Amino acid sequence: MSTLDHKLLHDIGASRGQIAAIALVVACGISVFVAMLAAYRSLELSQRAYYRANRFADVFAHLTRAPRALEARIAALPGVATAQVRVISDVSLDVPGREEPATGRLVSVPERARPRLDDLSVRAGRYLQPSDRSQVLVSEAFANANHLHVGSLIGAVINGRLQHLRVVGIALSPEFVYEIHGATDIWPDSERFGVIWMGERALSAAFDMQGAFNDLEVALAPGADEQAVVERIDALLARYGGLGAYGRADQPSHRFLSSELAQLRVSATIVPAIFLGIAIFLLHLLLSRTVGTQRTQIAMLKAFGYGNGAIGLHYVWYGLVIVASGALLGLGAGLWLGWILTRYYGVFFHFPILRFQAGIGLLALTLLLVALAGVAGSLAGVRSAMLLPPAEAMRPQPPARYRPALVERMGLHALLPSPIRMILRNVERAPLKSLLSCAGLALGVATLVVGRSSFDAIDLMLAHQFYVIEREDATIAFDHTVSLRASHELAALPGVIRVEPFRAVPIRVRKGHRSRRIALLALDARATLYRIVDLRGRVLQPPRQGILLNERLAQALGVRPGERIALDVLESARATRSVRVAATVDELIGTTAYMERGAAARLLREGPAISGAYVGVDARERTALEAALKRMPSVANVAFRDRTIANFRSTIAQSLAVSTALLILFATVIAFGVVYNSARIALAEHGRELAVLRILGFTRGEVTLVLLGEQALLTATAIPAGIVAGRAIALSFSAAYSSELYRIPTAVSTTTEAFATLVIAAAAFVCGMLFQRQLAALDLVGALKIGE
Amino acid sequence: MRPARRVLLIAVILALILAAAIALRRPPLAVESARVDRGPLLVSVDAEGKTRVRERYVVSAPVSGLLQRIALVEGDRVARGAQVAQIDPLAHTSAVAEAAAQLREWQAQRSGVATLRVKPESQEQARLRVESAIVAAARARAQSAGARAAFDQARRDAARYQRLAAEGAVARRELEQAQLRERTAAEEQAAALLQTRIADSELAIARAASAELRTKNRDPDYLEHVYDARIAAVQAQLDNLRAEAARTAVRAPASGVVLRLLTKSAQYVSAGTPLLELGDPRQLEVVIDVLSQDAAQIAPGDAMAIDAGAAGATLTARVRVVKPSAFTKTSALGVEEQRVNVIGDFDHADAGLGDGYRVEAKIVVWQRRAALRVPVGALFRCGERWCVYAVERARARRRTVTIGRRNDEFAEVRGGLHDGERVILHPADRVGEGARVDAREPAVTPEAR
Amino acid sequence: MQAQKATPAAVFHVHGVTKIYRMGEVEVRALDGVDLDLYAGEFAVMLGPSGSGKSTLLNIVGGLDVPTSGQVFFRDWELTAADDTALTRYRRHALGFVFQFYSLIPSLTARENVALVTELVRDPMTPEEALKLVGLGDRLDHFPSQLSGGEQQRVAIARAIAKRPAVLLCDEPTGALDSRTGKLVLETLVRVCAELATTTVIITHNAVIADTADRVVNLHNGRVSSVRINTVKRSPAELEW
């Protein structure tokens, strides 16, 4: 090894604290990068393999009823490679061991062969046999959540009669990677919703659909135009009550998976970028300082004949070694985190095989990234080392130039003790460096704020949805539209205090060529258990004339209050009406339009009919109520609000705990990195002065104050700046993630701000304390003798 | 550092900590609240039902026949006795004629019966014959008896002569004579017997002939009865047909308005086919079916609030009768229930509703004019009892309350709260004991135009 | 001076002080059994070539270093037995230091540099007074980067004497200056010390300066080789080097 390399090793050893700090920052950034990208890749590859192996369809359509013979015609349409028809229906399930009814989606599958499209992956048990009548396969998540296994019996209310189905197999399907009930749900509720695959003949017979189908799936031929195929299918199915075909992009499960993957990609770029930016800054600081300290040595080396290139390269190596060590740590941590993240996704997205794979490409990309960061950080230092004229190094440096600080120029200097003045002037002397240090800390604060604010936002959404909008104790949904007198029936059930019925209809709203599929919710004018509340907390009444649309939806359609839109009723009795937009509302979830119930009945040209009701329940009689509801054939779904909230919370709590821990870790690493490096460098720069102060009789504490005071001032400035920046970033995130469907509110609670402040302040404080110990060993004597 | 500076530093730090503490304090929770007040509280049984014309008359076709197209339409007013429909009379009048003709035929036949009667001379003749036959029979019998006696004697003689002959006491010729006399006596007896028989049969024949004559006399009676009966029957039929013919003009049994036309077009109707419904739509009652458990709370005289669903005001009615027996009905949600019909009368005659309109009824089973009431949205269970969160000095305080009757909006407060106190609505699990709250009245924006 | 019967009190009493440095495997005896007394109010100069241990002795006397063996008394307080806090207090209240390389805080003005020290003690001079004393009354608000080498050293002196210390220790005060400036600085030192009656100890390798001292202590190889009373004191202006 050459002497320069020896020097390198020695230098590294001398600054090992600072290097460790920088390496940690790099490690954090790289670990996030690797973890997210690896998880992304794993999910994406698993998704692709799954879709291909199980022949996931491209186009889907639901309809009221059409003869099976139509299948051949559809398969013969241009652009269609394969077509498959099925019967699908949602039914109420009586699951052993569960008090309230669950909802099951019955899907027909051929008894004699596997489905042509959307094939099942059988996880336990077996596929159906031709002799099976009431034997079924059940989706894995539902089975696990309800402790069902091969041989279990489930009750299903099919066409008003309770039938018992026997589970012969547990399976997964690419249609239900994300198993949600409907397009308007957000969370999968594996306990209360599951998929059941039943033999075609048995299912058709049970629903009086022999020789008919109500659901269609199509695989496109290579190069086919999806939109064209959709239009052809719509034309064909229109007279059978077709509700409009759609492609994968609108298929609920796929849509969620895709958006999740997209978000992963975005996160995988932003977060590492922040960390690496900070790392580059710190590296720059360290290297510049090191070069500054080693001026004499460099000059000597040059005097002895080492070329500029060799010296420059030497310092580049310095930078690279630092980032490389961080990268190695980050890579290891990232792979581990990525594995955990992938498994975590596996809880929500159900793949038969979810393998964690991090390819060579990812590693190569990481190394390249790291190398770039290392070079960028070392650039300035290397440059100054290379440009240093040898002679100048030999002279002692004159005292650095200072000016009175800004604050003093404002006339306040009498108030400030000398140490404060020193600090202020130090800060002002190198404004860029101070600013960057402050910015780095502020980013740490902002990271905490943004990270935690997403949970604040969820909290706010939760509170808004479940405490302000919804105040019902339970929501009861029927399996078909029933007469209004059912609400009296509900009122007579044990424990029911108040009943507010509603009518829900899937509709499509159209203005010109733009259309959206949403739901129409018709409420009582004086509804109190479920209210329409906008984001500002204003309560709106469902309009007696016209329709109330979500603001963003209205914008997307290009329609304003007072104008008319076309409304297609997507229920069995299809119809098209024209309706006036009464007003718009700025809501959290934008998939619903509202009307007053009577007005809706007039619009639909029907008598008073309801789809369900919101009820207030006496807690003491809840068990009796649940039992009674289970026995009602027409009740398809019962959801108790407190259970929904608890589910929500417990699902979020896990990720909240993990996220918070990670956030704290990251922010601490950043804060530590910045404060430690700044303090070390300040010590290097002002060490002599500080020693002089000690000699002059200043106590250790007072000297520490001077040194760390600068860091404290930077931290104190960085915290509010970081909070402001965090708020701004949170705002832009919520704007970016908001869509027509969901508005993510920006919510930064004072707890979050306090949390961010505390973590950063604590990190800085601990760092300072560690530092103080180093100060104690300040070499007083040496400071006097060895001049700069 | 100088002491003054130290004090200043400490003061600054304390100020910062205080600021942090204040900033960290959770802001008071925004909650909706309402006041406990005194006001009317109504507990009602809510159910669906419909209106019904009190007296409904179904006018049916009184006879079978071709119904002519009914000119009336629903809503037409008819007076009692007015003709509302017409069944083609032709078939009926011809039936009447036919029956009348038949009657005349039977009557004619009846009169012909008299000629069949037997003449009195024949009867007398027959009687005489019978008498003579009796005499002859008696004579024959006497002769027979005499012959028998002679025979017996001859036989005894013969036997005796036999004995004597055997003994040789008599001559053979006497024996043979005796035997001959026996034989002759026997034949005489036989002939006499025969004669008796002949006389008997002659008597029988005479009797039979007399009986026959008598029977023959009786037949026309019977026949007359038969014909009488037939005549009566045809007469009745004729009356019937006449009446029916009269009824082909269908008349209104009472004044009223045509509620429903059940059969409009001209068609053949059989008797009893309902043609139309009449009634006075201003005389309406409501029929509400309630669950049997609710029916127990309802008594005649209870007030009812009827809502027909239109934008019109709510109408008032009173319960007239709660039907004593329940019937089974499958509910809208598929459950079998026992339901009881409750009939109510409107307070004001012209309710503005028609017959068979669907209404929502609230049957008041309990009310107070100035009950101390709390909104039900504020109540929640704490164990076996009810609790609310009252707002005291901007803090939520849990209170146990006792409540009496309740409807779906308010509950009667029996204890635990005072008039004017503020309670938190729908606290859920957000509010805790002692939490700081910002209580407001529910704000509802006016309906979006 | 024979008339002075009552010997002025010994401000410093150094007794058998030895200092051994260990640098790797090498042992360096910086001081080897030094005995010395320094008296109140005197202007003493310690002479010796580099490596003679004079700086080490100054450091020990100033409470900056601890001897391997021996004792040092300041008045009647044993320096060498004191802990760090006591030493800090000692340096704060009793000593003034002047270094070879000025060691001013570059981010403070001349006045503030002096104020730094005056804020520590009770009853100091005001910074203005101190700076006027060294002839820099008109350069109060200049930063060290705006002052010449000699001016910087004079500020250092002002800083050292502003707290009215009992003792002034100077380590090669003129070492980094040219002769003219050096003379000026020396002049300042002599004048100030005479005015304030501070015990002043100057370390130098420049023998010419010794002529301004009251006493000259010669150090050689870590031992006091000779102590000479200067009968004839010359003023700094008369010196040539």
Side-chain angles (χ1 to χ4, degrees), chain A residues 241-558:
Chain A
L243 300 176
Y246 53 91
R248 276 192 191 175
D250 287 317
Q251 205 263 350
S253 160
H254 180 85
R255 191 172 66 187
F256 268 98
L257 184 56
S258 306
S259 80
E260 192 65 36
L261 287 177
Q263 279 187 18
L264 255 184
R265 281 188 72 175
V266 169
S267 305
T269 32
I270 295 182
V271 175
I274 295 178
F275 277 101
L276 287 179
I278 295 175
I280 291 174
F281 164 62
L282 293 177
L283 191 60
H284 162 82
L285 267 185
L286 175 63
L287 225 64
S288 308
R289 190 64 241 155
T290 310
V291 166
T293 320
Q294 295 177 350
R295 279 169 79 246
T296 336
Q297 299 177 36
I298 297 173
M300 247 189 329
L301 289 171
K302 288 196 185 180
F304 282 135
Y306 278 93
N308 281 342
I311 291 176
L313 194 64
H314 165 75
Y315 284 106
V316 168
W317 275 122
Y318 192 32
L320 284 179
V321 164
I322 297 175
V323 294
S325 47
L328 275 173
L329 185 64
L331 208 61
L335 288 173
W336 179 67
L337 273 177
W339 179 74
I340 291 184
L341 190 62
T342 310
R343 280 189 51 177
Y344 175 72
Y345 274 118
V347 170
F348 295 98
F349 297 99
H350 308 294
F351 295 90
I353 306 172
L354 181 58
R355 240 203 326 261
F356 176 65
Q357 1 189 359
I360 297 292
L362 180 63
L363 265 76
L365 186 62
T366 310
L367 290 174
L368 183 65
L369 211 61
V370 161
L372 281 174
V375 168
S378 328
L379 212 56
V382 163
R383 193 166 166 275
S384 76
M386 286 169 62
L387 293 179
L388 189 70
E392 200 175 293
M394 298 303 193
R395 287 192 283 272
Q397 263 187 329
R401 296 158 61 99
Y402 279 87
R403 290 173 0 130
L406 184 66
V407 179
E408 299 178 70
R409 278 180 266 139
M410 293 196 301
L412 294 169
H413 57 247
L415 294 172
L416 301 170
S418 309
I420 307 290
R421 280 188 238 184
M422 286 170 68
I423 293 168
L424 285 175
R425 289 183 192 154
N426 272 341
V427 165
E428 278 201 28
R429 190 174 90 87
L432 192 64
K433 179 169 81 82
S434 309
L435 196 67
L436 284 175
S437 294
C438 196
L441 281 170
L443 272 177
V445 175
T447 307
L448 286 169
V449 169
V450 171
R452 218 163 171 283
S453 87
S454 69
F455 290 100
D456 285 341
I458 290 180
D459 240 4
L460 188 70
M461 286 170 80
L462 199 77
H464 191 73
Q465 180 68 29
F466 290 111
Y467 293 112
V468 177
I469 291 180
E470 287 190 39
R471 285 102 62 84
E472 86 287 356
D473 291 315
T475 306
I476 300 174
F478 308 126
D479 63 358
H480 62 278
T481 315
V482 300
S483 138
L484 182 60
R485 68 183 322 167
S487 61
H488 298 308
E489 202 178 322
L490 290 178
L493 290 176
V496 174
I497 297 179
R498 188 177 166 89
V499 176
E500 284 178 12
F502 63 85
R503 174 94 171 87
V505 190
I507 58 173
R508 179 167 46 223
V509 287
R510 274 186 293 122
K511 174 92 180 169
H513 63 277
R514 294 183 223 164
S515 70
R516 292 287 185 279
R517 299 173 71 135
I518 57 175
L520 173 65
L521 184 61
L523 302 167
D524 278 340
R526 292 180 332 133
T528 63
L529 296 181
Y530 189 102
R531 304 183 298 173
I532 307 166
V533 186
D534 72 5
L535 279 174
R536 275 199 299 269
R538 286 188 316 161
V539 179
L540 282 87
Q541 278 192 334
R544 282 216 161 88
Q545 288 169 336
I547 197 170
L548 184 62
L549 283 185
N550 179 273
E551 204 172 271
R552 281 175 160 253
L553 179 64
Q555 274 171 13
L557 290 176

Side-chain angles (χ1 to χ4, degrees), chain A residues 87-99:
Chain A
V87 176
I88 289 188
S89 182
D90 285 356
V91 295
S92 178
L93 294 178
D94 179 3
V95 179
R98 185 163 291 287
E99 278 162 354

Side-chain angles (χ1 to χ4, degrees), chain A residues 51 74 93 100 195 208 236 249 273 314 318 326 336 339 532 546 555-556 587 630 662 686 695 732 754:
Chain A
Y51 283 1
I74 295 171
L93 294 178
E100 87 274 23
V195 184
D208 204 17
L236 202 57
H314 165 75
Y318 192 32
W336 179 67
W339 179 74
I532 307 166
Q555 274 171 13
E587 267 193 307
K630 229 188 190 183
L662 276 177
H686 304 293
I695 293 169
S732 74

